[in-house]
Every structure is written in structure tokens, then in C-alpha cells.
């Protein structure tokens, strides 16, 4: 009997928050392109005796983010120590959250398929330093830059609800837009302010139903782009399917992806939770967030890309590709909405404005929406045909529509509308209605 196999995928998404200071000290959090080890202090270097104090803004950002997914917000949360050894982690533990994260049990409905993705938890932790590997004079060296050490890092963990790769990338793009619209992170994959890990297993389907989730999962780490993720997932799903078909057992481990060979490779067997020896961070008391504070944070959220998606699609009836392009950037969609409001006074349709922004990048040409509206008006004037062309078309229409001309002369003046339409047809809609009427009447009334 041949079984059918389907992938079971869960995602872990790390997002670096763009707060001014780091998670537990006053050092600046922005570290891209900054000279190594210039933004450090005893706290983020993990020197003995240094005391961490949490960043309020980072906590608010996390709760705001969690509210988008309808998460339950814990009124009491705490930080915990997660122990492991690595050269970019000087304390040999990371301050993270274990059993009381700020947010848990949420969900997200994917825009195209309405597929429900369960959000297990969203917690806050500190980022690690960064290892830089360099070859100097033929010798390999590794350097550590601690500027990133202690930068607030939000982690979102989903349920293993993904069954195909399109849903995974659709979800991740939504996450990226949510972080950007909330203004909590640039969520830039290339720079590493958004990082992904995937948990993958393959399940056997019998009689079209998935009886139970697999008892193992393989973690894919160090994924730095959506394309890379898709390739790595495909390769890993294939590997697992082949193993299952051969009757082999798949072990729980962490794997990486080699782009040139197109295969995943074993990095290490996966740690279990008990290996981290979590315990409450003794230097930071539990954090209480009141109902009132939570409500205020949620109220300050503003409109998200999904709200604009609805407005553009349902109120302005724009084509889907236009909608997705416009909402791709918050500043762009706000510019568009602003220009629609100004254009309304001059009967410029949302579709016209969307055309010019999507196809001709008018938003980049005219920073000020008033200037954009002016440009559109000039453009609309220019598209009218000259009076010579209008006269020529009017003459032809009068010649070709003798019956209508006779009717007009008998007093049926309403046929003018029909004649104007015929002239517009010749001019492909580019005639100024006033010019056409004038030209027709001067000939009809002779
Ligand atoms: Zn510091």
C-alpha cells in the first residue's frame, strides 16, 4: 500500500525591535554599520554584578504585536534565564521568557486562503552578539562584536499548522508588513532584523486524513531570505519523504541548508528543553501589566496593511495586484489615500491615481500629493484632442449619421448625445465633451 505524505510545518520568527535603547541597558539598539564593540556596557557585555533593567517600550511593542493576533496577554509575565554556551553569549545564558510570555494563544487568518494559523506564543528576549569570521594573511580568525548583544528580540512561535509552502511565505510576508506598519521593526531579512527557523516533519496520510502529528521534528536554522527558506523546506521535505518511504526513522535534530548542493545537512542533535535549565531571572521582578495599560497599547495600534487592503479592494474596487503593490509600504498607501481625498474635489478617480502610482511611480516624482493632483489635472487636459481633430471627427459623424441629423432638424435635440458618443468613439475618448458639442452644434444648426 502506497501512502501519501504531507508536510507539517511550524515557524519561529525572530524580530529585532527598533527601540532607542537595548533590552536591559541604556546602550543604543541600532547597530547596523556601527564600529564593532562601541555600543556596549557592563550589562550587555554580561560582566559580573551588572544589573539588567527592562525596556518598557520593548514590552509595549510586544503586546501591541501580540494584539494583532488576538493573543491572550498575561497580566503577570516574567523573564527567565535560558542556559547554553556560545562565544557570542558572554553570560552563558540568555534572558528570555519561559512559562509566562507576554502573549500566547492567538491566531492569524491568511489573506488568500483564509487558512487559520495558530500562534502559540510571542515572547521577548535579548539578542546575542555577532561572530565575524575573517581570513587575515592566510589564517582564519573569528571576532566577536557585542553591539548587537542585548538588543530587544521578539520571538513569535506558530503551531505546526502549515501544510504547504505557499502558506508559509504568505504568512511571513504578512508578519513582515505587520511589524513595519506598527513601526516596531524594519523586519529586514537581509540585515537580519527578521530571522526565521522552521520545524518540519512529514506526516503519513491514510484515506485522506492525517491521523496524528509526527512524533519528531527537524529544525532548519540560519535562514536569511524567503527564497532560501522555500528551497531549504523543499529539500528537507523531499529528504524526509524518501526516508519514510524506505522505512527509515527520522531523528530529531537541527539542520542547515547548503545552497550549492541543494541539500540540508545535520548540524547537531536538537537540545531538549531540559538542557537549557530555565529558571526565573532573579534580577528582574515579575512584570505586571494592567488591563488599562493593555487597552491603551492596543488602541495606539493604528491602521494595519490588512485594513488598507480592505479599503482599497472593497471601497475603491482596485485590482488585486494594485492593492498588494500599494499596501507593500505604509508610506505609499498613506500617500495614495491622501491623494484620493485631494483628487475627489477635481473628480479624479482612485483608479486613475493608482494607475499613475503603480505604473509610472508618480509618488516618487511628486513628494507632495497637492503637486501630484496638479500634475494629473495637467495630464488630463493634455490628453484632449485638438479642435481640428474634433471638427474632422464631427464632420464625419454628421456625414455618416444622416438619420440622426434629420431627427435633430425635426426638433429631436436629444440625438446630440448620441452624436457626441460617436465622435468620442472616433477620438478614442480623447475629445473634450465641450469642444465636441460646440463643433457639432455649429454644423447642425447651419
Ligand atoms: Zn549596554
Amino acid at each position: 500500500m502506497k501512502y501519501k505524505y504531507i508536510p507539517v510545518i511550524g515557524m519561529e520568527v525572530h524580530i529585532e525591535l527598533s527601540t532607542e535603547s537595548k533590552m536591559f541597558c541604556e546602550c543604543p539598539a541600532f547597530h547596523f554599520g556601527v564600529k564593532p564593540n562601541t555600543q556596549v556596557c557592563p550589562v550587555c557585555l554580561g560582566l559580573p554584578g551588572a544589573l539588567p533593567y527592562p525596556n518598557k517600550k520593548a514590552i509595549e511593542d510586544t503586546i501591541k504585536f501580540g494584539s494583532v493576533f488576538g493573543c491572550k496577554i498575561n497580566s503577570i509575565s516574567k523573564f527567565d534565564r535560558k542556559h547554553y554556551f556560545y562565544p557570542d553569549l558572554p553570560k552563558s545564558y540568555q534572558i528570555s521568557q519561559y512559562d509566562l510570555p507576554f502573549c500566547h494563544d492567538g491566531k492569524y487568518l491568511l489573506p488568500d486562503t483564509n487558512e487559520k494559523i495558530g500562534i502559540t506564543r510571542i515572547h521577548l528576549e535579548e539578542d546575542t552578539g555577532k561572530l565575524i569570521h575573517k581570513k587575515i594573511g592566510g589564517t582564519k580568525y573569528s571576532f566577536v562584536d557585542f553591539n548587537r548583544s542585548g538588543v530587544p528580540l521578539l520571538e513569535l512561535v506558530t503551531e505546526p499548522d502549515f501544510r504547504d509552502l505557499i502558506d508559509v511565505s504568505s504568512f511571513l510576508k504578512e508578519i513582515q508588513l505587520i511589524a513595519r506598519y506598527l513601526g516596531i521593526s524594519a523586519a529586514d531579512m537581509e540585515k537580519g532584523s527578521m530571522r526565521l527557523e522552521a520545524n518540519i516533519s512529514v506526516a503519513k496520510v491514510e484515506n485522506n486524513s492525517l491521523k496524528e502529528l509526527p512524533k519528531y521534528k527537524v529544525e532548519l536554522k540560519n535562514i536569511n531570505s524567503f527564497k532560501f527558506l522555500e528551497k531549504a523546506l523543499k529539500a528537507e521535505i523531499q529528504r524526509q519523504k524518501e526516508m519514510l518511504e524506505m522505512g527509515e526513522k527520522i531523528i530529531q535534530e537541527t539542520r542547515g541548508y547548503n545552497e550549492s548542493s541543494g541539500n540540508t545537512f545535520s548540524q547537531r542533535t536538537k537540545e531538549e528543553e531540559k538542557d537549557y535549565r530555565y529558571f526565573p531571572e532573579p534580577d528582574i521582578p515579575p512584570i505586571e501589566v494592567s488591563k488599562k495599560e493593555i487597552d491603551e497599547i492596543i488602541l495606539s495600534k493604528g491602521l494595519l496593511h490588512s485594513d488598507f487592503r480592505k479599503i482599497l479592494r472593497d471601497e475603491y474596487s482596485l485590482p488585486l495586484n494594485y492593492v498588494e503593490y500599494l499596501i507593500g509600504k505604509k508610506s505609499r498607501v498613506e500617500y495614495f489615500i491622501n491623494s484620493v481625498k485631494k483628487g475627489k474635489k477635481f473628480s479624479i478617480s482612485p483608479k486613475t491615481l493608482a494607475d499613475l502610482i503603480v505604473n509610472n511611480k508618480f509618488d516618487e516624482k511628486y513628494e507632495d500629493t497637492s503637486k501630484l493632483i496638479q500634475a494629473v489635472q495637467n495630464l488630463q487636459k493634455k490628453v484632449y484632442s485638438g479642435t481640428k481633430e474634433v471638427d474632422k471627427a464631427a464632420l464625419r459623424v454628421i456625414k455618416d449619421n444622416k438619420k440622426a441629423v434629420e431627427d435633430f432638424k425635426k426638433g429631436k435635440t436629444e440625438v446630440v448625445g448620441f452624436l457626441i458618443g460617436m465622435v468620442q468613439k472616433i477620438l478614442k475618448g480623447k475629445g473634450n465633451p465641450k469642444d465636441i458639442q460646440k463643433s457639432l452644434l455649429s454644423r447642425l444648426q447651419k
Side-chain angles (χ1 to χ4, degrees), residues 22 25-27 39-45 149:
K22 290 189 184 178
C25 62
E26 281 173 32
C27 295
Q39 298 183 162
V40 289
C41 74
V43 174
C44 55
L45 279 176
S149 172

Side-chain angles (χ1 to χ4, degrees), residues 6 52 70 80 83 92 120 167-168 173 196 218 226 230 241 245 263 324 342 356 379 388 394 416 444 446:
I6 56 161
D80 300 273
H83 298 81
S92 277
T120 317
D167 284 352
V168 173
K173 281 174 190 156
L196 312 171
V218 171
F226 291 139
E230 204 185 308
K241 260 190 203 170
E245 275 164 6
N263 291 319
E324 292 306 313
K342 286 187 182 162
L356 292 169
L379 207 68
K388 257 192 191 166
V416 174
L444 291 169
K446 256 182 200 165

Side-chain angles (χ1 to χ4, degrees), residues 216-244:
Y216 70 94
K217 57 184 177 187
V218 171
E219 193 171 21
L220 269 184
K221 277 202 159 176
N222 301 323
I223 300 161
N224 51 19
S225 78
F226 291 139
K227 258 199 196 134
F228 192 89
L229 171 71
E230 204 185 308
K231 283 188 202 165
L233 282 174
K234 264 189 194 156
E236 181 55 21
I237 291 164
Q238 190 55 30
R239 184 187 76 91
Q240 292 189 18
K241 260 190 203 170
E242 281 167 14
M243 282 183 78
L244 290 175

